[in-house]
Amino acid sequence: MIRLDPLFLCRGVALVAALLLSGCTSLDYYGQLAGGQLRLLHAREPVATIIADPSSDPKLRDHLIKSQQARVFASSHLHLPDNRSYRLYVDIGRPFVVWNVFATDEFSLDAMSQCFPIAGCVAYRGYYNPSDARGEAALQRLAGKDVYLSGVETYSTLGWFDDPIISSMLHWGDERLAALIFHELAHQLFYVKDDSEFNESYANFVEQEGGRQWRVARGLAPEKESDSKQRDQFTQLVLDARERLKKLYAQPLPPNEMRVRKAAEFERLRSDYRQMRDSQWAGDKRYDPWINAPMNNAKLLPFGLYDQWLPAFAALYKQVNGDWPAFYGEVKRLGGLPIGPRKAALRKLMGG
């Protein structure tokens, strides 16, 4: 499933002035970030209180009981931070906590990034109000950018706050909720400034491998191999399209010809998908809504964020014989390298 995060927010309004000194963006933008974060903080309540309250919704209580079992597993077995994060709950009354706006130039796959003094640069701008996100997206389109708008279920404050379980995290069931907890706690454990691909691929590996081990610990059958295989094949299909587009945009072509060839590449992606769906997936149409919706460069950005180095982290985990503390130690070692040697080390892990 395609998911976008994290949106890093600093410690409330006290840091808004400091952020402005960086010259990154406007008071209004940072104000809505600080205000949204403060509202979440004020609305938190202990999960244990909700579970113990007989008037609590039974379905919610059941979700939260299972979430706390996964939360204990995260620290005791996966060696993720043991703190109050995901032992609190907030009902936000909407499907997403934030909306992210991705934007690229017409003939580029480089994101228009948003920079923060502590967290560094990320590949999107995040908004708590969907109207604000739509407004930003409209402005970027008027400027001639390719734009993609996506809702986000949760995000990590990298340990600055005790992050809560948010009602938006419950929509896809208990397995998904556990996976989100593992992913976001991984961000709290380690985060590299200015390298979203490294951060998200690392956290995505912890999410996937942690989810597999969580199922084993409960005596459940592993995820259907067909589901994971389809997800991996679909992801690779999109990454292949990205590579073709990168090569196209590097060519010195006139704009009109570039637009025609760009459109042809997106049509090739759709055609390749349908061929794979019908010949290998028995017509399973789970990705049809995404593939049939309008396509542009910005829509492809999340795939590079979440999957680029996933095989490298899987190889690293295998090298340390599945020892989580040793794995995190190696992740920190890689993250401490300059960007060039870091990428070279990751490519080596992938056999490249």
Side-chain angles (χ1 to χ4, degrees), residues 94-169:
R94 58 183 190 269
F96 301 109
V97 61
V98 291
W99 284 260
N100 285 346
V101 180
F102 290 82
T104 70
D105 287 332
E106 184 180 7
F107 304 130
S108 172
L109 285 160
D110 294 330
M112 307 291 289
S113 61
Q114 176 65 49
C115 297
F116 299 85
I118 295 173
C121 297
V122 294
Y124 43 77
R125 287 170 64 94
Y127 294 86
Y128 282 90
N129 188 319
S131 296
D132 292 341
R134 287 192 291 269
E136 172 65 18
L139 289 174
Q140 294 290 348
R141 290 189 185 98
L142 285 174
K145 307 295 184 184
D146 278 15
V147 180
Y148 181 56
L149 179 63
S150 179
V152 179
E153 308 153 299
T154 187
Y155 59 82
S156 172
T157 60
L158 309 183
W160 279 59
F161 300 110
D162 295 321
D163 294 322
I165 294 171
I166 306 173
S167 55
S168 52
M169 298 168 67

Side-chain angles (χ1 to χ4, degrees), residues 1 50 122-123 162 169 171 174 205 207 238 313:
M1 187 67 193
I50 299 171
V122 294
D162 295 321
M169 298 168 67
H171 296 158
D174 298 317
F205 172 77
E207 170 187 326
V238 177
F313 287 109

Side-chain angles (χ1 to χ4, degrees), residues 211-231:
R212 186 192 68 78
Q213 294 182 15
W214 175 229
R215 293 185 66 85
V216 170
R218 291 174 296 150
L220 299 179
E223 179 185 17
K224 288 182 180 180
E225 184 177 349
S226 59
D227 289 345
S228 59
K229 184 177 180 180
Q230 285 183 21
R231 180 181 63 234

Side-chain angles (χ1 to χ4, degrees), residues 48-60:
T49 300
I50 299 171
I51 292 174
D53 185 351
S55 67
S56 296
D57 177 77
K59 186 176 180 180
L60 173 61

